[in-house]
Amino acid sequence: MGLHFETRHSDSPWVDSVWTCTGEQVATMTSVAGTRLGLVFWRQDGRSYAAVTGPETRTGTAPVPEGATFTGIEFAVGSTLRMVPTAELVDGGVALPDTSHRTFRLDGARWETPGPDDAEALVGRMVRAGVLARDPFVADVLRGHRPAASQRTVERRFRAATGLTQGAVRQIERARTAAQLLAAGRPATDVAVKLDYFDEPHLARALRTYVGRTARQLREGAGGAIGLDVDQRLTS
């Protein structure tokens, strides 16, 4: 019983990862904080649905549609949709209307519903149509590049593109990485050192805030279904 993920990273500069998920006897899951804009498609009882998902700043509990199968696209940090500012999607999302097994409606146009192998092709069409944009400034800042601008300007532009502060993005990404390392069996002490947490209590607080699990729960696979591929089945 639980959620079963398959995740692959993408070579596209526009896409961070593509994932699929199925659930078995799961009614709710622990949602995990995330930094990225995304698209998610799912089928339940013969009907199809689609939604835009926004960054999430904290953990929580979310319903899981019974018997649903999901395909999701996580865009690179700093990606934006023309239809709505990313800041308006933080801790929320937008259900997309008129979704069928073959197509969905986004930004006034119809698009083919992708499978996990078609995600980059869909994103490429969105980019060419001007529906999806990305600010490379954000990636540069996250890599440690210092632009020729005041810190206030940098923070304002970063928040406009991501809906989050630089600090929030780094904290959330670090907690997600910690969760995956702990689930893979790494000791909490090693994880705290590797990811530059001050000590284990600081790591524990980050896990509570952003992941909704303790280090022991992650190691033991306890706590119920969680919206994160902690099994590390990552392919390229």
Side-chain angles (χ1 to χ4, degrees), residues 110-130:
R110 280 216 164 268
W111 308 82
E112 291 184 15
T113 302
D117 297 328
D118 306 319
E120 285 84 359
L122 168 66
V123 171
R125 290 192 293 271
M126 293 170 63
V127 172
R128 290 190 292 274

Side-chain angles (χ1 to χ4, degrees), residues 90-142:
V90 174
D91 293 322
V94 176
L96 300 178
D98 304 327
T99 299
S100 71
H101 177 55
R102 295 185 177 181
T103 64
F104 67 100
R105 185 175 294 279
L106 174 71
D107 200 14
R110 280 216 164 268
W111 308 82
E112 291 184 15
T113 302
D117 297 328
D118 306 319
E120 285 84 359
L122 168 66
V123 171
R125 290 192 293 271
M126 293 170 63
V127 172
R128 290 190 292 274
V131 171
L132 180 71
R134 182 173 64 89
D135 191 346
F137 175 89
V138 171
D140 288 344
V141 170
L142 289 175

Side-chain angles (χ1 to χ4, degrees), residues 5 30-34 59 170-197 200 202-222 224-234:
F5 283 92
T30 299
S31 63
V32 176
T59 184
R170 291 191 170 95
Q171 290 174 36
I172 291 168
E173 290 294 324
R174 185 167 60 158
R176 290 171 67 95
T177 300
Q180 291 175 325
L181 290 172
L182 290 162
R186 294 285 292 271
T189 302
D190 290 357
V191 172
V193 171
K194 179 179 177 63
L195 298 180
D196 292 326
Y197 283 100
E200 285 188 56
H202 281 78
L203 169 61
R205 283 194 290 273
L207 293 173
R208 286 197 302 270
T209 300
Y210 300 120
V211 182
R213 289 288 188 276
T214 66
R216 175 178 290 183
Q217 286 175 322
L218 288 162
R219 283 196 305 271
E220 297 176 352
I226 187 170
L228 180 68
D229 189 357
V230 292
D231 291 332
Q232 290 284 288
R233 294 189 296 271
L234 299 178

